């Protein structure tokens, strides 16, 4: 029995674990693979917060609200921005080494990114997420009251009670090598499983970002909110032979990179007053539109305005990766294309990361805090992950959950899952990914969304067949089930929003609805 069970080992999960351990609480933290390989490791740009006198909280708040297209919740945005400086101090205390200013080593080097009015992006070269993960994992191994379990796949949450009295008491976990199912009990559970970018065909997200956390929370009865707002990053590296997708950071454009088409035209100049530094949703749609107009598979970023020395020193990882595919970014334009990147909605939580289910919290990309609204401002996500993970632990400590007596259910029968039919379920998942990209992508239509929903419903026949044939105790089936349930809910949510706002751009409703609101959805809801 633990005080806190943390599902997921990205920046939000590790921050929650460390903060809990420092309070003397017993913690078990689980990761899906052999090592943490979630989106946190791939975050290049940085973490946004106010550190300079010329910058102010109200400027960061205004930029966040502007990017969010009128759908940000103001209270969590205020909490996020004003918690920034203290959060940076905590990260530095945990050992994170941000890149210092080249002129004053006692200060941070600050990048500018799309949608920001000031230079406020702290970074560690162009591998900020990886550096934060390195530091947090190092600190985690110094904590004696944290158990760390690898290769654990979450099957379902364990809950007791019904309705408003429903309480989470732990989770059923599958060990991904043995197939053995184990129940882990805790007085409070923190869901930090990441996003759902892998539901789409083209994505820069790692394999773990397939909506598992959203699905298990929905099956337990929690609401999801604003899940129609998937952020398509405008600039992933276009390299058809590249095995793993790769992101070209927003900071490249903040550094002077200019978006151009094959003719060398700066097409963003006609789209937005911020040109290549416009918010992500606008840039992604503009690139998509230009690709369609010219019949080309990609656009470009031109960095020729900066010296090779500056490019290499600011973006060593991006430079090296582009060289791998034969593109020298000090001399050549970078080929880019939009790809699914970040889920702005998720499991509905309040400002203390509490879900609708007692003792179940959610933080990081899996959660819908309302900070991002209809479009996330660049580099707000890492800050959000840490701020609301810390708030979750603070609330757990004062909630009274730690005083509750939890009685584990004893089982005599050993429960296992199989690893058969991998190719079968992966093929079904590929059909789903294709349908989501085609019908629920950067630009949407009612007809397309309905066609995507029809495809999802047809794939449910495979689910029913597996149930009938008693093949549900299969890990590949469970992964497909999670992806299908979340995809169907996203499609229904997109059909319900009869306006174009932020990341949800639908040709049938090109204008914004002045009476817009957040929309929650539960598993089993109809369109």
């Amino acid at each position: 029995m633990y005080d806190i069970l943390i599902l997921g080992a990205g920046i939000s999960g590790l921050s929650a674990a460390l903060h809990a351990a420092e309070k003397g609480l017993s913690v078990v933290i689980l990761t899906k693979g052999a090592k943490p390989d979630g989106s946190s490791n791939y975050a290049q740009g940085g973490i946004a917060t106010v550190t300079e006198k010329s910058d102010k909280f109200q400027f960061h708040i205004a930029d966040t609200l502007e990017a969010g297209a009128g759908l940000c919740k103001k209270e969590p945005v205020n909490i996020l921005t004003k918690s920034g400086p203290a959060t940076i101090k905590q990260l530095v205390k945990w050992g994170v080494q941000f890149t210092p200013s080249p002129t004053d080593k006692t200060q941070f080097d600050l990048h500018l990114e799309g949608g920001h009015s000031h230079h406020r992006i702290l970074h560690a070269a162009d591998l900020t997420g990886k550096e934060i993960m390195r530091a947090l994992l190092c600190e985690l191994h110094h904590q004696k009251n944290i158990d760390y379990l690898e290769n654990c796949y979450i099957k379902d949450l364990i809950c007791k009670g019904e309705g408003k009295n429903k309480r989470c008491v732990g989770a059923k976990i599958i060990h991904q090598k043995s197939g053995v199912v184990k129940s882990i009990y805790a007085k409070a559970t923190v869901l930090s499983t990441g996003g759902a970018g892998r539901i789409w065909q083209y994505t820069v997200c790692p394999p773990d970002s397939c909506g598992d956390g959203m699905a298990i929370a929905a099956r337990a009865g929690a609401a999801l909110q604003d899940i129609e707002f998937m952020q398509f990053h405008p600039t992933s590296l276009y390299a058809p032979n590249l095995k793993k997708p790769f992101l070209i950071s927003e900071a490249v454009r903040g550094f002077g990179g200019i978006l151009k088409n094959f003719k060398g035209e700066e097409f963003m100049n006609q789209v937005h007053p911020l040109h290549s530094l416009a918010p992500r949703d606008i840039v992604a749609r503009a690139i998509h539109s230009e690709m369609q107009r010219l019949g080309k598979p990609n656009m470009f970023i031109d960095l020729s305005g900066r010296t090779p020395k500056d490019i290499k020193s600011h973006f060593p990882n991006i430079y090296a990766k582009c060289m791998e595919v034969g593109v020298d970014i000090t001399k050549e334009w970078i080929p880019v294309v939009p790809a699914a990147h970040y889920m702005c909605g998720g499991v509905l939580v309040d400002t203390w990361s509490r879900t609708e289910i007692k003792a179940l919290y959610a933080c990081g990309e899996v959660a819908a805090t309302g900070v991002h609204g209809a479009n996330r401002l660049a580099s707000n996500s890492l800050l959000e992950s840490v701020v609301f993970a810390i708030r979750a632990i603070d609330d757990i400590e004062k909630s009274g959950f730690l005083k509750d007596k939890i009685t584990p259910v004893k089982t005599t029968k050993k429960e296992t899952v199989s690893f058969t039919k991998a190719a079968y379920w992966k093929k079904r998942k590929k059909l789903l990914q294709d349908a989501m990209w085609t019908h629920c992508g950067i630009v949407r239509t009612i007809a397309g969304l309905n066609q995507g929903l029809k495809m999802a419903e047809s794939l449910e026949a495979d689910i029913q067949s597996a149930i009938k044939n008693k093949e549900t105790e299969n890990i590949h089936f469970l992964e497909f089930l999670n992806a299908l349930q979340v995809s169907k809910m996203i499609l229904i949510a997109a059909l319900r929003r009869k306006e174009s706002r932020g990341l949800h751009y639908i040709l049938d409703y090109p204008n914004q609805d002045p009476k817009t609101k957040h929309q929650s959805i539960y598993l089993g809801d109809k369109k």
Side-chain angles (χ1 to χ4, degrees):
M1 172 66 67
Y2 294 91
D3 289 325
I4 301 176
L5 165 63
I6 298 176
L7 305 173
I11 284 172
S12 60
L14 295 179
S15 298
L18 288 173
H19 192 55
E22 289 173 352
K23 290 176 175 291
L25 303 176
S26 64
V27 180
V28 59
I29 183 168
L30 310 180
T31 183
K32 188 176 179 181
K35 61 179 181 178
D37 191 33
S39 296
S40 296
N41 266 321
Y42 296 78
Q44 296 174 350
I47 183 166
T49 196
V50 174
T51 57
E52 285 192 329
K53 290 182 180 179
S54 61
D55 197 5
K56 298 184 184 299
F57 290 132
Q58 58 259 42
F59 297 155
H60 190 184
I61 290 169
D63 291 345
T64 301
L65 296 178
E66 173 69 21
L71 210 62
C72 297
K73 295 180 182 177
K74 292 183 179 180
E75 185 181 0
V77 170
N78 284 334
I79 291 169
L80 176 85
T81 53
K82 293 175 182 177
S83 300
T87 302
I88 295 300
K89 286 182 181 179
Q90 180 62 71
L91 288 171
V92 171
K93 181 182 174 183
W94 281 335
V96 178
Q97 297 176 15
F98 293 107
T99 298
S101 167
T103 57
D104 183 354
K105 299 300 181 183
T106 65
Q107 302 296 318
F108 299 115
D109 185 49
L110 300 176
H111 277 166
L112 176 69
E113 293 187 354
H116 288 272
S117 58
H118 289 71
H119 287 72
R120 64 167 72 99
I121 315 302
L122 287 75
H123 61 99
D126 57 350
L127 287 170
T128 309
K130 194 169 185 177
E131 165 57 19
I132 297 175
M133 287 291 290
R134 178 205 63 78
L136 298 187
L137 284 167
C138 183
E139 184 69 17
L140 179 126
H141 291 308
H142 292 152
Q143 297 289 341
K144 294 181 179 179
N145 51 336
I146 299 178
D147 284 344
Y148 185 80
L149 305 179
E150 299 175 336
N151 294 302
C152 294
Y153 184 84
I154 312 159
K155 185 180 182 186
D156 271 310
L157 297 171
I158 303 172
C159 296
K160 293 183 177 180
E162 297 294 333
K164 293 182 178 180
N165 294 319
K166 182 175 281 190
R167 189 202 196 286
C168 183
V169 295
K172 281 192 171 185
I173 307 300
I174 302 167
H175 194 279
Q176 295 207 78
K177 289 187 175 180
S178 66
V180 172
V181 180
K182 181 181 179 182
S183 295
I184 298 180
Y185 290 87
K187 295 176 181 178
T189 300
V190 179
L191 198 61
S192 53
T193 51
R198 280 279 169 166
I199 286 174
W200 281 264
Q201 181 182 6
Y202 300 109
T203 179
V204 291
C205 297
D208 287 352
S209 300
C210 49
D212 290 329
M214 293 166 62
I216 66 164
R219 283 201 296 273
L224 307 185
Q225 189 170 88
D226 297 340
I227 56 173
E228 63 272 30
F229 297 115
M230 165 55 70
Q231 186 173 74
F232 293 85
H233 198 287
T235 55
S236 71
L237 178 62
Y238 178 73
N241 295 326
L242 195 66
K243 290 184 178 180
K244 285 188 177 182
F246 187 78
L247 187 71
I248 302 298
S249 170
E250 193 99 19
V252 171
R253 284 178 284 129
F255 193 64
I258 298 170
L259 285 164
K260 294 182 176 180
N261 61 24
F262 278 76
K263 300 177 182 179
E265 297 168 337
E266 299 176 27
F267 59 91
M268 285 303 301
N269 292 1
Q270 317 303 320
V271 176
H272 194 276
L274 290 176
H275 301 174
S276 292
L277 283 173
R280 288 179 176 178
D281 61 322
I282 294 169
V283 178
R285 282 198 300 274
I287 292 175
H288 179 268
S289 175
E290 195 72 357
M291 285 164 54
Q292 287 195 321
R293 184 178 75 84
L294 297 174
K296 297 293 185 180
N298 64 282
M299 292 290 114
F300 297 93
I301 298 177
D302 177 9
L303 259 176
S304 60
R306 301 305 297 253
T307 67
K309 182 179 178 181
D310 282 346
I311 293 169
K312 290 178 183 179
S313 64
H314 278 78
F315 306 109
N317 183 50
I318 292 174
Y319 172 77
K321 180 59 68 173
C322 288
M323 285 297 288
E324 282 182 25
V325 297
V327 178
D328 183 346
I329 67 173
T330 66
K331 301 175 183 177
E332 302 170 86
W333 297 350
I334 308 170
V336 294
V337 66
H341 178 49
Y342 190 90
M343 173 57 71
C344 289
V347 181
L348 176 61
V349 296
D350 64 10
T351 57
W352 291 100
S353 302
R354 294 177 290 212
T355 72
E356 294 179 318
I357 299 172
K358 290 180 179 179
L360 177 65
Y361 295 72
C363 53
E365 192 178 351
V366 73
T369 61
V371 159
H372 307 305
N375 179 38
R376 176 174 68 90
L377 180 66
S379 289
N380 267 354
S381 55
L382 294 183
L383 181 63
E384 180 201 32
S385 291
V386 183
V387 167
F388 289 95
I390 288 173
R391 287 177 69 83
I393 300 303
D394 287 344
D395 190 75
I396 289 169
E397 186 183 37
K398 66 185 181 184
S399 66
F401 293 139
L402 298 176
K403 296 178 182 178
D404 290 350
K405 185 178 180 180
I406 306 296
T407 305
V409 177
K410 293 183 179 180
T411 56
T412 55
K413 185 180 178 182
K414 183 178 178 181
E415 187 179 352
T416 61
V417 299
S418 71
F419 298 88
T420 60
K421 297 187 73 173
Y424 178 86
W425 292 115
K426 285 179 180 178
K427 186 177 180 180
R428 289 335 183 244
K429 192 174 180 181
K430 178 66 166 56
L431 291 172
L432 182 64
Q433 290 169 324
D434 291 348
M436 289 297 287
W437 181 261
T438 302
H439 303 301
C440 194
I442 298 169
V443 176
R444 301 164 179 178
T445 65
I446 291 175
L449 290 170
N450 275 315
Q451 197 168 341
L453 185 58
K454 187 176 180 181
M455 168 62 82
E457 288 171 343
S458 71
L459 288 170
E460 284 184 322
D462 294 294
I463 300 293
Q464 297 305 317
S465 176
I467 293 171
K468 182 179 179 181
N469 297 325
K470 298 182 180 180
E471 296 175 351
T472 57
E473 297 304 307
N474 179 295
I475 198 162
H476 302 294
F477 163 81
L478 294 170
E479 287 182 335
F480 175 71
L481 174 67
N482 287 344
L484 182 63
Q485 288 181 333
V486 173
S487 296
K488 190 175 176 182
M489 294 173 78
I490 291 170
L491 288 160
I492 292 171
L495 281 165
R496 287 179 177 179
R497 185 165 291 281
K498 293 177 171 55
E499 63 165 346
S500 287
R501 181 176 297 273
L503 302 164
H504 176 70
Y505 188 77
I506 183 164
L507 295 177
D508 304 86
Y509 300 99
N511 301 317
Q512 292 188 353
D513 181 353
K515 296 181 180 179
T516 191
K517 60 182 179 179
H518 298 276
Q519 56 174 8
S520 297
I521 185 169
Y522 293 86
L523 187 64
D525 280 1
K526 305 296 182 183
K527 65 179 181 180

